[in-house]
Amino acid sequence: MKVALVTGGSRGIGKAIVKALSAEGFHVIINYRTQVQEAEQVLEELRQLGGSAELLPFDVSDMQACELALSHWKLQNPDRFIHTIVNNAGIRKDNLMVFMDSNDWNNVLNTNLNSFYYITKPLLQDMIINKGGRVINVVSLSGIKGMPGQTNYSAAKGGVIAATKALAQEIGRKNVTVNAVAPGFISTDMTEDLDEKEYKRLIPMNRFGRPEEVAEVVRFLASDRASYITGEVISVNGGLYT
Ligand code: NDP
């Protein structure tokens, strides 16, 4: 069974990705930070469906916490390696740049951008040795076009998009693909403060997306069916561009 790590797999888009990868036949490592009950519920749901999964809580914005958790997992699983990483955990702290304090800038950059390095770097070598792997980054429309009120979030997601393209070129010959999925507005806890009635007028498909609609693309990218796709950013946004 191939192993996939999904960061922020306890809620929203991450939870849907965990379920989709389990259905694809992966053993799934479900990462989360604080909400134990939500994570345990996802684990229980998966096991009832016959899936194989485990929880691995750590804070993706903390380099030492990432190193500790991942090296501990490797020690416990000397015969396995993480074939697919889904860098999904993310936060928003929106404000106009003139009012944005440095905590909100740094937290968003650490959680959405630096986590990509903290998690991907220590796991890459195993993918290279095993001649196969997938890195899938959940980014955002905000990182493609830039959104007012989100200079921190747009910078972080835009940074991950650029890193996706660069890393794809570094390790393509090792049969490791690196891609990004860019959702638009998706109904999760992250967007519960947004009035769907107001925003959906901007979206050609006239509705917010569902987490499962993003997860399906991640499932495809993680599968053998996507063996020749790398360095791409695939939008899942109901036709919403600029
Ligand atoms: P949610 O807020 O619904 O869920 C966030 C998940 O990330 C939770 O599982 C949470 O765990 C986890 N998480 C947050 N911070 C950390 C951390 N420091 N360490 C570990 N886990 C953490 O978010 P969504 O499902 O909406 O978003 C998922 C991804 O999709 C994010 O990267 C987001 O930026 C991106 N995205 C979302 C869009 C949307 O419209 N919803 C649009 C575009 C992109 P816990 O509960 O334990 O805190």
Side-chain angles (χ1 to χ4, degrees):
M1 233 180 178
K2 283 180 185 164
V3 179
L5 165 66
V6 181
T7 67
S10 59
R11 291 189 284 122
I13 294 171
K15 177 179 172 177
I17 292 171
V18 163
K19 287 183 169 176
L21 292 183
S22 178
E24 187 66 27
F26 282 88
H27 169 79
V28 189
I29 306 171
I30 306 167
N31 159 260
Y32 65 99
R33 183 188 42 172
T34 49
Q35 301 204 20
V36 189
Q37 269 187 331
E38 306 260 2
E40 282 177 346
Q41 202 179 322
V42 181
L43 182 66
E44 186 53 34
E45 278 176 43
L46 274 197
R47 286 189 174 154
Q48 277 180 8
L49 290 167
S52 167
E54 66 187 291
L55 301 180
L56 190 63
F58 62 90
D59 180 350
V60 300
S61 69
D62 177 340
M63 185 164 76
Q64 279 187 332
C66 294
E67 275 172 10
L68 203 69
L70 297 174
S71 56
H72 183 71
W73 187 89
K74 284 194 205 186
L75 270 178
Q76 302 280 312
N77 296 275
D79 303 329
R80 308 172 96 181
F81 80 103
I82 296 177
H83 170 275
T84 294
I85 307 169
V86 184
N87 288 304
N88 165 77
I91 55 165
R92 274 174 51 204
K93 296 277 176 203
D94 298 353
N95 213 336
L96 295 175
M97 183 78 168
V98 283
F99 302 122
M100 188 174 292
D101 69 41
S102 59
N103 274 340
D104 286 352
W105 178 268
N106 289 323
N107 284 339
V108 167
L109 268 287
N110 285 334
T111 307
N112 296 285
L113 174 61
N114 290 336
S115 62
F116 164 77
Y117 174 79
Y118 300 156
I119 292 159
T120 310
K121 199 249 170 186
L123 299 177
L124 270 185
Q125 203 168 0
D126 283 343
M127 292 185 191
I128 292 168
I129 290 168
N130 287 283
K131 298 189 176 65
R134 299 276 190 267
V135 179
I136 302 164
N137 300 315
V138 180
V139 292
S140 171
L141 177 65
S142 185
I144 298 174
K145 75 177 282 277
M147 299 275 240
Q150 293 195 321
T151 48
N152 51 358
Y153 187 78
S154 296
K157 296 297 193 183
V160 176
I161 289 171
T164 300
K165 294 176 182 176
L167 183 60
Q169 294 172 69
E170 284 183 18
I171 55 174
R173 67 180 59 225
K174 303 292 181 189
N175 196 32
V176 178
T177 67
V178 189
N179 290 290
V181 176
F185 291 101
I186 307 296
S187 300
T188 68
D189 294 344
M190 186 179 270
T191 49
E192 70 181 355
D193 60 325
L194 304 179
D195 181 2
E196 181 169 349
K197 272 197 200 106
E198 187 191 323
Y199 283 92
K200 74 178 188 182
R201 287 185 285 119
L202 306 169
I203 305 169
M205 291 194 74
N206 202 37
R207 64 172 176 87
F208 279 15
R210 295 186 298 276
E212 293 73 21
E213 292 174 310
V214 180
E216 207 42 56
V217 179
V218 174
R219 175 179 176 168
F220 169 66
L221 288 173
S223 75
D224 292 339
R225 304 185 295 283
S227 49
Y228 200 51
I229 300 174
T230 196
E232 285 299 320
V233 183
I234 301 180
S235 290
V236 184
N237 62 22
L240 178 69
Y241 285 95
T242 48

